Amino acid sequence: MNSSIENLGIIAGSRGLPLLVAREARKSGVRRIAAVAFEGETNPELASLVDSIVWLRVGQLSKMISAFRAAGITNCVMAGQIAPKKLFDLRPDLKAMMLLFKLKEKNAHTIFSAIGDELARNGIQLVEATPWLTTAMPSSGFHIGPRLSKQEREDAEFGFKMAKELARLDIGQTVVVKEGTVLAVEAFEGTDRCLMRGGELAGKGAGAVAVKVTKPNHDMRFDIPCVGLGTMEVCRSAGVSVLAVEAMKTIVLDREQVERLIKKSGPALFTVG
């Protein structure tokens, strides 16, 4: 836990991760927490967990920086998902437009890296949120749910290798496999749709195994892989019988609810790598 940080800004995307970061940062002794939130993305409940919150559209970089500077923020984290489509449909302000103009490649990583550089030029250091999230990151040997068959274990090992290669090429970080065959790979559409497509192609009888990993030299400042209740419900409805995530590099949100769901009807959740 980084006990030297007394103020923290949260660039808050969707789902439960920004709330978890705010709660854990406060427990660790962070005295002042300010958030910038995105219309149509961020859970409004975050407002009750922080000292100040400013709502903006994706692309309003100047407003984001101004909000943090006004709150006296010198360290910030990115937490939660911004729909990939919004990164390309954004209405940028002048500062964001100039930033985008300089980029040769425009993908989530390059855009977030450039935002981090711009924040630094304004005295705001973008740091990893992981020091406040270790209790939510399962380690090696973590396993909830039905015991895996020999085939499922083999598929998980195979899927891990395939997902790592997919991630190395910066295409996506999730694959769905069955009996040694890759059924679906994640790309622009995101994890949930990849899971649905893989489950559909697996056909009746389930047996599909999904594997979610990080990229080589993954920058955890910009992207912390997360699974939660919604992910497990998608797996169940898609007929995916196993979800494997990378040990100590994946956040499991809503842990108690996830465990209840799995114990009731699956799928299995365990760590690889």
Side-chain angles (χ1 to χ4, degrees):
M1 197 72 70
N2 194 337
S3 58
S4 65
I5 291 181
E6 295 189 355
N7 68 76
L8 186 68
I10 302 176
I11 302 171
S14 65
R15 303 186 179 179
L17 188 57
L19 282 67
L20 179 61
V21 170
R23 292 189 183 104
E24 294 301 316
R26 190 74 79 186
K27 286 180 187 177
S28 76
V30 176
R31 295 182 180 179
R32 180 164 184 79
I33 304 175
V36 292
F38 298 98
E39 298 166 2
E41 295 278 351
T42 309
N43 187 335
E45 186 182 338
L46 182 63
S48 66
L49 302 174
V50 299
D51 298 296
S52 63
I53 188 166
V54 174
W55 291 86
L56 56 145
R57 298 190 318 271
V58 175
Q60 290 185 304
L61 184 55
S62 292
K63 189 174 180 180
M64 175 192 299
I65 292 170
S66 296
F68 283 151
R69 294 186 68 175
I73 297 300
T74 54
N75 301 279
C76 75
V77 297
M78 289 185 178
Q81 186 180 60
I82 300 295
K85 185 176 184 294
K86 290 200 173 183
L87 291 176
F88 298 90
D89 288 349
L90 53 77
R91 292 172 287 171
D93 61 17
L94 181 59
K95 187 180 288 289
M97 195 178 299
M98 293 174 64
L99 179 149
L100 290 169
F101 180 75
K102 294 176 183 177
L103 295 178
K104 292 182 179 179
E105 294 183 17
K106 294 179 177 64
N107 54 48
H109 181 80
T110 59
I111 291 171
F112 290 145
S113 293
I115 290 171
D117 292 342
E118 189 62 33
L119 286 165
R121 281 191 284 271
N122 285 272
I124 304 162
Q125 190 68 33
L126 183 63
V127 298
E128 288 188 17
T130 49
W132 297 285
L133 297 171
T134 53
T135 57
M137 303 175 77
S139 58
S140 179
F142 176 86
H143 185 161
I144 307 172
R147 186 175 180 178
L148 273 60
S149 67
K150 181 175 180 293
Q151 182 65 60
E152 287 171 334
R153 288 199 171 275
E154 291 176 354
D155 279 345
E157 292 174 6
F158 170 69
F160 181 76
K161 294 177 185 177
M162 294 298 101
K164 276 294 187 181
E165 185 64 15
L166 179 74
R168 184 187 69 80
L169 295 171
D170 201 20
I171 295 171
Q173 295 165 223
T174 304
V175 300
V176 180
V177 303
K178 182 177 181 180
E179 297 176 1
T181 299
V182 176
L183 301 178
V185 299
E186 178 190 15
F188 187 72
E189 82 283 22
T191 302
D192 288 355
R193 291 191 181 183
C194 172
L195 294 171
M196 292 298 293
R197 189 171 68 253
E200 180 182 351
L201 291 170
K204 293 183 178 181
V209 175
V211 185
K212 186 176 182 68
V213 303
T214 59
K215 295 183 287 189
N217 301 314
H218 193 95
D219 196 330
M220 299 289 272
R221 294 179 303 163
F222 311 137
D223 177 24
I224 306 174
C226 293
V227 299
L229 187 61
T231 313
M232 303 314 295
E233 288 174 339
V234 169
C235 285
R236 185 177 63 173
S237 64
V240 173
S241 61
V242 177
L243 174 61
V245 298
E246 193 165 358
M248 290 308 297
K249 292 186 178 180
T250 309
I251 302 294
V252 177
L253 298 169
D254 314 311
R255 178 77 69 89
E256 291 182 3
Q257 296 97 312
V258 165
E259 291 187 4
R260 282 198 296 268
L261 176 72
I262 290 173
K263 289 176 181 177
K264 181 179 179 181
S265 55
L269 173 65
F270 82 112
T271 51
V272 291

